[in-house]
Every structure is written in structure tokens, then in C-alpha cells.
Amino acid sequence: MRWDLFCRVVDNHGDVGFAWRLAGDLASRGERVRFWIDDASSLVWLAPRGVPGVDVGRWDEAAFARPVADVVVETFGCGLPDAVAATMAAQSRPPVWIDIEYLSAETYVERSHGLPSPQQLGSGAGLTRWFFYPGYGAGTGGLLRDPSPTAPTFPDRDPRWLTATGIGSTDVDMAARRVSLFCYDAVRLEDLLDTLAVKPTLLLATAGLAARQVQRALGPGMGRGQLRAVMLPLLEQVAYDEMLRACDINFVRGEDSWVQAQHAGVPFVWQIYPQAEGAHVVKLQAYLDRFLQAAPPSVDAEVRRVFEAWNGLAPWAGLPATGPWSAHCAAWRDRLALQSDLTTQLLQFAAARMLK
């Protein structure tokens, strides 16, 4: 099928990260994808070589593209250019219009996934917009997994990733615990650094806000106790995915890195994007309830505590015991692998509505 996929870059990289990953996954399965984005600057480092089968276009040029695709996807409720919606509405057989929403473990996802939204007003009046919700339950759209073309090339926790990226040549301890950090403003950063400093640890701080915070905290020496930090360059998507699997603990944020950390199967801590009136707290707790449902009580308590502390909701009390935490994350990854992935479900969802 032909796909027009729309993405707006808001204030972080999660939206374009997810959308680009989806576009590449569709193309790897033989679909034809046009990727419309309002700010493509991040693709220079996120995907410098592009992906075969994906054509990138500017958002404001989408109205002039012909023909309109079989399936039109907006990511995270980003909307469509008015002229595109008008062109869709004028067709005798309009394309399938799908809005892929944010991931959540809350119960409303099962109720909302797959619902139609008839458009009564605006340039798309007369069309039907379908809600597609990623999720963890059987009644959701599943999670985006990443097969070829961007699947990691190194086995889990393989230190060769450090050498391949040049980090291993900077006189680091290749046997040290490896921790990656991708975060928003981190209110518990000093606590984390103190905890990491008690044993040999290499902290990999991602470019941008995470790196700036670590640099301020550690100073020019970039060390504390047995902790040494390295400032990473901007990583393309495949390299970031490889890093997640090469580390012993990953601190992630938002959506795309959070999902990929779960697929990596190693211990991780998620920083959720703060929302007004504490809506993010409900979302965090819903996820923890699902994620820890099969965990032993001790693992439940320790992991829940560190997630809450990292999000500023509880006092810091250190990191969970590594062995049980690792075992639980590996088991969670294996359970997720049994679920039909998002791209497979999206293809089936679109094809079924094309037949109606």
C-alpha cells in the first residue's frame, strides 16, 4: 500500500523517533511511504543515510503531492494540512485516515483503540478518522518493535559497542558497569551520581540536556569516586538502540527510548514527560502496575521505588538489586515478544478498513 505519514516535532525527539521508526518498519515490509515532517533537521543525525523505501517531504509541500496515499497516518494527533484533508474528502473513495496516539497502560486504551471519529467540521468533513492506540493488552495496537533495517548488530551487553563508537579508545574501563542516561530535568541526578560512584561505572550521557546536567554536576574532571562520565555525540537511531543493549542499566525518557529499553531486556528506569494536574503520575502508576504484575514482591517494591524517586515522587533510596531486576526485565521482554507488534497490527487494521 501507499502511505502518507505525518509528524510534527514538538519539543523533544520522541515524536520524530517513533514516526521515523514506524516509517522504516513499513518500508522494510514492502510498503511505499512518504514521510511528511515540519522540521527535518533532527533526521540529519537520527538517520543520516535515510531508509530505502521512505521519501521525506516538508509538511507544507504535502498539499501538492499526488496521488494521495491509500493510508494517511497522523502521529500523536498532529493533524493534517487543511489542503490534504480537503483532497481526501473530495475523492470518491477516500484513503484510510488513522491517528496513532500516545502509548499508555491505562485502561482507557483498550476502550478507545479502533474507534471511529466521524469528521463533521473543517476541510475533512465527511471523512472518518480512526483512533489507533499502542498498548500492552490484547485489545490494543501493541508496541513498535524494530526488525531490519535498524536492528542492533551486537549481542546484549556487548562491550564492542564502545569500541565501534570510539568510546572504548578513550581509556575507559571496559569491565565497568555501563549506565546510559537520557533524561529531562533530573531532580535526583546528584543522588544517582552518588549511588553510581561506589563501584566502577561508566556513565554514558546522551547529547543535550542529559550531558549538560552531568557536566554541571561533575565538573571538568567528569568523575566522582569510581564513576566516570562520557559525553556522547548525537547518536543515530540504530546506534542508540545498540547502546541500550550494550548497557547494564538504561535511564530513558518519553516514549520511543522507553519502548526500545523494554525490548532491550536489561534494567531500565523511565522518566515520564510531566503533564498538568499530575496526569503523568496516573500514567506512570498504571504502567508500573502492569510491568510489575508478575514480579516477586521484593522486585516490585524496589523497582517501583526507584521509578517514583527518579520522577520526583519519592525519596531516593538507591538502585534495585541487579540480579532480580535483570531477570524481571528479561522476562518482560520475552512476554512483549509474544504480542503482535504495532506495525503488523497497523497493516491489518488499514487493510480491513480499505475493504469496507
Side-chain angles (χ1 to χ4, degrees):
M1 293 181 285
R2 298 167 303 167
W3 297 70
D4 279 334
L5 197 157
F6 289 84
C7 171
R8 281 192 186 275
V9 180
V10 184
D11 57 353
N12 295 294
H13 303 310
D15 38 25
V16 64
F18 170 89
W20 182 256
R21 195 181 296 276
L22 173 59
D25 199 357
L26 286 167
S28 74
R29 304 180 191 217
E31 304 297 295
R32 291 171 290 170
V33 183
R34 294 186 299 197
F35 185 78
W36 303 103
I37 185 168
D38 64 335
D39 179 2
S41 59
S42 57
L43 293 180
V44 173
W45 54 266
L46 187 73
R49 291 175 293 277
V51 170
V54 178
D55 295 323
V56 178
R58 285 172 38 185
W59 180 281
D60 56 0
E61 294 177 345
F64 306 104
R66 296 293 186 272
V68 174
D70 303 305
V71 187
V72 175
V73 174
E74 57 172 297
T75 53
F76 308 136
C78 69
L80 301 176
D82 287 341
V84 171
T87 300
M88 291 163 56
Q91 293 185 241
S92 58
R93 188 174 180 82
V96 179
W97 180 6
I98 300 173
D99 171 23
I100 300 181
E101 281 292 339
Y102 290 98
L103 169 64
S104 179
E106 295 169 89
T107 55
Y108 77 83
V109 169
E110 281 87 348
R111 297 194 305 269
S112 304
H113 177 62
L115 290 181
S117 176
Q119 303 298 293
Q120 306 294 336
L121 302 172
S123 53
L127 296 174
T128 297
R129 177 172 174 252
W130 297 89
F131 288 111
F132 190 97
Y133 277 86
Y136 297 95
T140 72
L143 299 180
L144 191 58
R145 283 201 295 271
D146 209 8
S148 174
T150 56
T153 56
F154 298 112
D156 290 358
R157 305 187 191 183
D158 191 329
R160 287 180 296 171
W161 182 86
L162 297 173
T163 303
T165 55
I167 298 171
S169 63
T170 59
D171 193 31
V172 301
D173 181 358
M174 298 289 280
R177 172 177 57 180
R178 296 184 295 278
V179 180
S180 75
L181 178 65
F182 183 39
C183 63
Y184 305 117
D185 285 322
V187 296
R188 303 296 186 202
L189 180 61
E190 286 287 350
D191 295 315
L192 173 64
L193 296 176
D194 287 342
T195 298
L196 296 179
V198 301
K199 63 182 292 188
T201 301
L202 176 64
L203 178 64
L204 305 174
T206 56
L209 185 55
R212 291 195 296 271
Q213 291 180 86
V214 170
Q215 200 162 26
R216 283 198 301 267
L218 296 181
M222 296 301 290
R224 178 180 298 180
Q226 300 184 73
L227 166 68
R228 180 180 175 186
V230 172
M231 306 292 99
L232 295 175
L234 287 167
L235 297 175
E236 59 181 292
Q237 197 166 58
V238 63
Y240 181 79
D241 294 347
E242 288 168 346
M243 181 187 69
L244 292 175
R245 289 162 173 80
C247 285
D248 298 291
I249 305 173
N250 294 303
F251 284 77
V252 292
R253 74 182 202 190
E255 179 161 329
D256 186 57
S257 62
W258 168 42
V259 170
Q260 298 312 311
Q262 294 175 75
H263 291 320
V266 299
F268 67 94
V269 182
W270 176 40
Q271 185 180 20
I272 189 171
Y273 187 78
Q275 293 176 286
E277 300 180 0
H280 63 292
V281 178
V282 176
K283 184 174 181 178
L284 175 65
Q285 295 299 340
Y287 171 70
L288 288 173
D289 290 344
R290 187 177 291 269
F291 172 52
L292 298 170
Q293 188 173 19
S298 59
V299 174
D300 182 310
E302 290 187 5
V303 172
R304 192 178 295 270
R305 180 195 66 212
V306 73
F307 271 62
E308 292 175 348
W310 187 242
N311 283 280
L313 304 174
W316 182 261
L319 295 171
T322 303
W325 191 13
S326 296
H328 177 71
C329 290
W332 176 250
R333 173 196 59 194
D334 294 343
R335 284 197 293 274
L336 293 181
L338 300 176
Q339 180 188 36
S340 180
D341 68 279
L342 185 147
T343 305
T344 297
Q345 294 201 51
L346 181 64
L347 286 163
Q348 295 169 347
F349 186 86
R353 277 142 192 84
M354 288 179 67
L355 296 174
K356 292 182 178 179

